[in-house]
Amino acid sequence: MGQGSKWLTRAVQGLRSFAYAGNGERPKVGLALGGGFARGIAHIGVLRVLEENEIPVDYIAGTSVGALIAATYASGTSLETMELHGSETTFRDFGRWTLSRMGMASNDRLELFLHKFTTVNDFSELKRPLSIVATDIIAGESVYFTDGQIGPALRASCAYPGLFLPVEYRGRILVDGFLTEAVPSPAARKMGAEVVIGVHLEPGLIGGRPRNTIEVISRSFSIIQIGAIQPWRAATDILIEPNVHHVLWDEFAKTPELVAAGEAATREALPRIRAALARQPMPYAGPERRAMRRF
């Protein structure tokens, strides 16, 4: 039985080498996880299907809740543990109401929330390369964190404007990364990914009246993004979009439904992922040059 298993393993590796173009080495794969509050739990389902189908993830990048999932996964935490804590999450786990002209709440508890999953504190302790994306609200540009302490970078990436206070870190005033990269595919490219799988959690426009100020802000940003130019799409080879648009920002209790949505969307994308891995990777030209190529 042992010899048969070894033979099968060698056969599979041989088939993969034949499939990968060029010198037989597969392209480096980057996974870019977008933001979406509770909808981000769908990322767990995405990761599960990738694991089950042995799709490699060499680099992982995250924006907002995608940064939390990415950091936790990069630390080596199991998907089962992540799903368990996801279903138990409440706003108090990561948010604290406060009086300020800059926001309604602080997300300083997010650093402690991360430690519910892992004891890792620094990027250097992670098991795979990670990039956390935030937005410099003064310069209006993406900021990529790949070293140092994870906590401050994570808080910055999750500092949703109007709700959470901006985070001052490394001489910058930072807010949620979704403003510049709703899906951090450019971050994955910068790390060296040749094939980028992006996960976009489209919020949609839920019918009915907003329940509170947070939903007014959230729906406003959703409307802006619908008509905005989104350069991250040019850096994405395969886009996965779980059907989670009907889930509200704080519906963590819907964890099983969200995980299932991530699984279903990823299974649907598997043929496209495998096809991308079988092709010779092309160098990323950037959004400007790619746009020029269309003409």
Side-chain angles (χ1 to χ4, degrees):
M1 183 68 176
Q3 291 297 323
S5 178
K6 290 180 181 179
W7 177 87
L8 180 60
T9 300
R10 288 195 298 269
V12 171
Q13 290 174 342
L15 287 171
R16 286 178 178 166
S17 297
F18 179 79
Y20 298 135
N23 59 6
E25 294 183 2
R26 65 168 178 80
K28 296 294 184 181
V29 179
L31 181 63
L33 305 180
F37 282 99
R39 290 185 294 273
I41 294 173
H43 292 316
I44 298 173
V46 173
L47 287 162
R48 178 167 292 150
V49 171
L50 293 179
E51 281 192 354
E52 290 174 349
N53 289 273
E54 299 183 349
I55 302 299
V57 176
D58 300 292
Y59 308 100
I60 190 165
T63 289
S64 199
V65 67
L68 174 62
I69 299 292
T72 305
Y73 187 69
S75 74
T77 302
S78 72
L79 297 177
E80 290 73 23
T81 299
M82 294 166 66
E83 184 173 357
L84 174 63
H85 286 303
S87 62
E88 299 172 345
T89 300
T90 67
F91 179 81
R92 289 183 179 181
D93 287 315
F94 54 83
R96 176 174 56 84
W97 298 113
T98 187
L99 293 175
S100 172
R101 293 179 298 175
M102 304 295 285
M104 297 184 290
S106 168
N107 67 0
D108 54 359
R109 292 177 177 173
L110 192 56
E111 295 190 41
L112 292 176
F113 183 65
L114 176 64
H115 289 156
K116 291 181 68 174
F117 302 92
T118 177
T119 58
V120 167
N121 290 299
D122 196 276
F123 280 85
S124 63
E125 301 174 62
L126 297 172
K127 298 182 183 300
R128 71 185 72 212
L130 166 70
S131 181
I132 290 178
V133 182
T135 300
D136 184 322
I137 200 170
I138 304 300
E141 62 186 16
S142 294
V143 180
Y144 305 102
F145 294 102
T146 57
D147 61 4
Q149 290 188 318
I150 298 171
L154 180 59
R155 286 185 56 216
S157 184
C158 295
Y160 196 80
L163 173 57
F164 291 120
L165 303 176
V167 174
E168 294 191 38
Y169 184 52
R170 294 186 179 178
R172 293 175 179 264
I173 300 177
L174 302 164
V175 295
D176 201 306
F178 91 92
L179 290 177
T180 47
E181 291 183 27
V183 177
S185 298
R189 292 285 183 190
K190 286 177 69 70
M191 284 193 288
E194 297 164 306
V195 172
V196 175
I197 303 169
V199 186
H200 184 221
L201 306 174
E202 174 59 55
L205 297 175
I206 301 172
R209 295 172 61 86
R211 298 176 300 169
N212 47 48
T213 304
I214 300 171
E215 290 190 5
V216 171
I217 295 171
S218 176
R219 294 188 191 201
S220 298
F221 280 124
S222 295
I223 292 170
I224 291 172
Q225 287 194 328
I226 288 173
I229 297 174
Q230 299 175 327
W232 60 263
R233 291 183 180 272
T236 306
D237 295 297
I238 302 98
L239 184 61
I240 299 173
E241 297 187 277
N243 183 17
V244 295
H245 68 277
H246 57 287
V247 178
L248 297 174
W249 70 277
D250 58 350
E251 290 189 307
F252 297 98
K254 292 186 175 180
T255 287
E257 177 184 339
L258 289 162
V259 171
E263 291 174 345
T266 308
R267 289 193 187 97
E268 186 277 331
L270 282 174
R272 289 181 286 133
I273 295 172
R274 292 191 174 109
L277 291 178
R279 291 194 299 267
Q280 180 69 32
M282 297 295 291
Y284 174 53
E288 292 182 1
R289 287 181 60 189
R290 284 197 173 198
M292 290 175 62
R293 285 182 178 179
R294 296 194 188 104
F295 296 97

